[in-house]
Amino acid sequence: MNIVKNLVSPSLYYCKCPYSMNPTRIVVHNTANDASARNEIQYMINNRNEVSYHYAVDDKEIVQGIPENRNAWHAGDGGNGLGNRQGIAIEICYSKSGGARFDAAEALAAKFIAYKLKEKGWGIAQVTKHQDYSNKYCPHRTLDKGWQRFLNMIQAELGQTTQSSPSTPSAPNTSSGEKYSTGTPICTNTLSVNCNGTGKVYTGDWSGTIGRVIKGAKYPYRVDRNGVAIGWTNNTGIDTDPHTPGGSQTQAVQTVLNSVPSDFIRESATFYPNITLKIRKAPTEKGIDTGLYYSNGMSVRYDGYVKREGFVWISWISASTGERRWMKAGVLNSKGYNTNPYGRFI
């Protein structure tokens, strides 16, 4: 398969791909904008942000930016997460507006993923999505159109039989190597923010259905309730008590896992600062200073913002730590408008 290579310079390995990697899976993303594959890769290698991905696929071609034997920061599950440290990241382009260009990009991505599965001797179980590692709704447009539908596209390229109903829980799959299988109703007393346990772990009382199994993970079972992922658990946390816990604790944990305050306004865009700005752990000048910053010539892709203390605070999930970060991006006037931005929003 023809792949255009535009590999990041080894001088940027320290921030883009600092670790050697023996990949065990593919992680699918949507770019959330309308740039071509070449532009996506060029943008990535031109900045110093800890955000990176191995391939970008548009409607015409596949472009590689990170060698497959190096890790990338894309899954939001921390410095030792399975997604970040073992996943080949594939970004599908043109997902912001969708339409024919996105459909063609998705079709080419399915063909490319099938090619990779054959090349490495993997099966469809090695195809995962960003959401499996950090609960971010990504690949957003692919999920909107149906994740099983996309897996079916890959299986068709492999010449395999596909599942006909994405809404029906899959049958028990002992090939996962874990005790429980997808579609199994469970109760659990433990929920982790992500599958590798690098985020917070909560104790309580929850019920749901196993929506995903990641073999070998510290918390291999994703717990779904009413179609929403509420966290990850393991064999120790699962019990056979047939009770059905109330929904209040589940909702509380879901709010924590989303990691956004009630006044959070979702917006997917890129900010280009024109001054040096500190990165904090909370949207307040009293928030813990991470010691990191963004300055002129750099950029950050954010997923929302709040208005507090007379400022606009943009926010995003750090690819290297899996934690939410905050940064002032402008000054509000008396009517609550950002009349003095600290850079450009695109």
Side-chain angles (χ1 to χ4, degrees):
M1 180 168 281
N2 184 36
I3 299 170
V4 177
K5 291 194 175 184
N6 184 15
L7 299 179
V8 66
S9 167
S11 66
L12 293 179
Y13 278 11
Y14 76 97
C15 66
K16 295 297 181 181
C17 51
Y19 300 105
S20 61
M21 182 177 80
N22 181 22
T24 63
R25 66 203 66 213
I26 288 169
V27 184
V28 180
H29 303 259
N30 285 172
T31 59
N33 61 49
D34 290 333
S36 68
R38 291 192 186 220
N39 286 345
E40 288 288 351
I41 294 297
Q42 193 63 51
Y43 168 80
M44 178 193 71
I45 66 178
N46 280 350
N47 64 58
R48 302 297 184 271
N49 303 336
E50 289 185 338
V51 177
S52 50
Y53 32 88
H54 296 87
Y55 296 94
V57 183
D58 63 20
D59 57 334
K60 296 182 175 64
E61 60 187 0
I62 301 149
V63 183
Q64 183 178 10
I66 300 287
E68 289 187 10
N69 65 353
R70 307 294 302 186
N71 85 297
W73 301 126
H74 57 94
D77 60 347
N80 293 311
L82 292 173
N84 278 337
R85 294 295 294 274
Q86 297 183 26
I88 297 173
I90 298 177
E91 292 273 2
I92 304 176
C93 299
Y94 302 135
S95 67
K96 181 177 180 179
S97 298
R101 285 196 308 179
F102 173 76
D103 291 343
E106 198 181 49
L108 182 56
K111 187 183 294 290
F112 176 55
I113 290 170
Y115 166 80
K116 278 294 166 187
L117 294 181
K118 292 177 182 177
E119 176 186 76
K120 298 183 178 300
W122 293 347
I124 197 69
Q126 272 67 51
V127 182
T128 64
K129 53 189 181 297
H130 185 178
Q131 186 185 42
D132 293 329
Y133 303 95
S134 64
N135 285 323
K136 181 176 181 179
Y137 192 71
C138 176
H140 68 103
R141 191 167 293 277
T142 296
L143 290 172
D144 288 345
K145 291 166 68 70
W147 177 247
Q148 185 60 53
R149 169 203 58 89
F150 182 64
L151 295 181
N152 288 348
M153 291 168 61
I154 299 169
Q155 288 181 289
E157 294 290 341
L158 293 170
Q160 298 176 353
T161 303
T162 61
Q163 294 185 27
S164 59
S165 175
S167 62
T168 303
S170 57
N173 178 11
T174 55
S175 64
S176 70
E178 300 293 346
K179 182 177 179 180
Y180 299 98
S181 307
T182 55
T184 303
I186 61 165
C187 291
T188 182
N189 55 38
T190 305
L191 279 180
S192 170
V193 170
N194 51 39
C195 62
N196 62 325
T198 56
K200 289 187 176 181
V201 178
Y202 301 90
T203 58
D205 196 16
W206 302 277
S207 67
T209 302
I210 295 178
R212 179 85 185 178
V213 180
I214 297 183
K215 180 181 178 180
K218 186 174 182 179
Y219 295 88
Y221 310 114
R222 192 188 74 205
V223 183
D224 293 358
R225 188 170 188 182
N226 298 325
V228 177
I230 63 172
W232 297 80
T233 191
N234 55 18
N235 292 329
T236 303
I238 293 174
D239 61 62
T240 56
D241 182 356
H243 70 284
T244 303
S248 59
Q249 290 191 58
T250 298
Q251 184 59 46
V253 169
Q254 183 60 38
T255 300
V256 173
L257 297 184
N258 286 341
S259 300
V260 294
S262 60
D263 56 341
F264 188 78
I265 301 172
R266 292 199 175 275
E267 177 181 84
S268 181
T270 302
F271 178 63
Y272 297 82
N274 54 26
I275 63 173
T276 299
L277 298 168
K278 292 181 178 180
I279 301 173
R280 299 186 182 275
K281 292 188 176 184
T284 170
E285 292 193 305
K286 296 179 181 179
I288 296 174
D289 184 349
T290 65
L292 302 173
Y293 63 89
Y294 279 94
S295 60
N296 189 23
M298 302 173 71
S299 65
V300 59
R301 186 175 295 170
Y302 65 94
D303 61 3
Y305 64 92
V306 298
K307 297 179 179 181
R308 295 187 182 183
E309 299 180 350
F311 300 101
V312 172
W313 295 83
I314 61 173
S315 183
W316 64 95
I317 299 294
S318 168
S320 59
T321 66
E323 297 179 351
R324 184 161 288 280
R325 296 292 186 243
W326 299 86
M327 184 172 69
K328 289 191 298 186
V331 180
L332 300 174
N333 65 11
S334 59
K335 294 183 179 180
Y337 295 111
N338 183 13
T339 55
N340 183 22
Y342 294 147
R344 295 182 295 117
F345 294 86
I346 297 179

